[in-house]
Amino acid sequence: MVRYSPIIPTIASFLLAALWALSVFAGWGLQAFCVDGQPACAQRLGAVTGVSGLFAAVAAVCTAGAWLMPFSRRDQRAFTRVMGAGMLAWIAAEGVLFVGGLLVR
């Protein structure tokens, strides 16, 4: 059985969270997908951001829950499952934002 430090998926989760937040709140998504500055494109991207935000919220709850819930801190398998669910949710949030951004062009 391979053991790993729980900090590795935590850092990966924080990096994905930072990428998502910069894409949504710092305008990276608008700059990437709505280059010509059309207001309609920005509105459509806003709708995509809302859907992506649902996955991001689940991911944030799972990541925090992996560290804060007592059952998860005591059991390595529970921690791995909860953190894994968070990682999958972050990947889904990024994927929805990317695919949705391509579609709103």
Side-chain angles (χ1 to χ4, degrees):
M1 178 195 256
V2 176
R3 295 277 187 192
Y4 62 91
S5 172
I7 199 71
I8 293 171
T10 303
I11 290 173
S13 184
F14 284 154
L15 290 174
L16 287 170
L19 176 64
W20 183 85
L22 289 170
S23 296
V24 171
F25 299 117
W28 286 12
L30 283 173
Q31 190 174 17
F33 299 115
C34 298
V35 180
D36 48 2
Q38 295 175 344
C41 179
Q43 286 178 331
R44 291 190 305 265
L45 189 61
V48 169
T49 299
V51 174
S52 177
L54 296 174
F55 289 103
V58 169
V61 167
C62 287
T63 302
W67 282 100
L68 298 176
M69 300 302 289
F71 77 91
S72 158
R73 285 183 295 165
R74 284 187 291 245
D75 184 14
Q76 179 69 28
R77 289 187 319 186
F79 179 85
T80 301
R81 287 183 186 137
V82 175
M83 187 62 78
M87 294 296 295
L88 289 175
W90 278 124
I91 292 168
E94 299 287 348
V96 166
L97 193 59
F98 178 75
V99 172
L102 290 176
L103 291 175
V104 300
R105 276 187 167 177

